């Protein structure tokens, strides 16, 4: 399976494609020096192929490369940074109340 991760805007997110079509995304918003990851989703037909791990890893690397700090609100992103603490713990901060207020409510 050929995959590619691309940053998109409106909404701000990193998308992963799998053999062409978009298979999932990690959604975020920037808050000052922080990038707040609040939702990750992979299409059902692509589940179980490691695509969430791939899109999160690429999104976090791009965030660090841009000089931003990471805030993990999304449970998948939280688990990723915990499982890869050696690489990411120095780049991750806890959310502030203001950040939590900005998280869009899903319907």
């Amino acid at each position: 399976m050929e995959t590619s991760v691309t940053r998109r805007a409106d909404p701000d997110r990193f998308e992963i494609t799998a053999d062409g079509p978009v298979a999932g995304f990690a959604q975020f918003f920037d808050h000052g020096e922080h990038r707040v990851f609040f939702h990750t989703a992979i299409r059902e037909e692509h589940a179980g192929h490691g695509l969430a791990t791939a899109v999160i890893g690429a999104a976090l690397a791009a965030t660090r490369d841009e000089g931003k700090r990471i805030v993990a609100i999304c449970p998948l992103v939280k688990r990723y940074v915990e499982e890869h603490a050696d690489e990411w713990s120095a780049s991750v901060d806890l959310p502030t109340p203001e950040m939590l207020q900005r998280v869009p409510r899903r319907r």
Side-chain angles (χ1 to χ4, degrees):
M1 176 182 324
E2 186 176 327
T3 63
S4 177
V5 176
T6 306
R7 181 177 170 178
R8 300 288 183 204
D10 199 22
D12 286 327
R13 63 191 198 172
F14 288 87
E15 293 180 343
I16 188 164
T17 59
D19 293 332
V22 174
F25 60 86
Q27 198 164 358
F28 68 90
F29 62 84
D30 287 339
H31 184 83
E33 69 174 1
H34 293 93
R35 178 156 295 153
V36 181
F37 289 91
F38 63 90
H39 181 60
T40 302
I42 300 295
R43 292 185 187 275
E44 188 174 329
E45 61 268 24
H46 295 288
H49 296 285
L51 298 180
T53 299
V55 72
I56 291 168
L60 297 184
T63 298
R64 181 173 55 194
D65 290 349
E66 290 178 37
K68 292 208 171 271
R69 306 275 307 156
I70 296 162
V71 176
I73 294 174
C74 169
L76 293 175
V77 178
K78 278 184 185 180
R79 186 170 63 214
Y80 184 94
V81 297
E82 289 169 1
E83 290 175 356
H84 301 90
D86 290 348
E87 183 177 0
W88 295 106
S89 62
S91 300
V92 177
D93 292 330
L94 294 174
T96 65
E98 294 82 16
M99 291 174 190
L100 293 173
Q101 287 178 343
R102 286 195 53 197
V103 174
R105 302 285 179 232
R106 288 191 279 156
R107 297 175 189 188

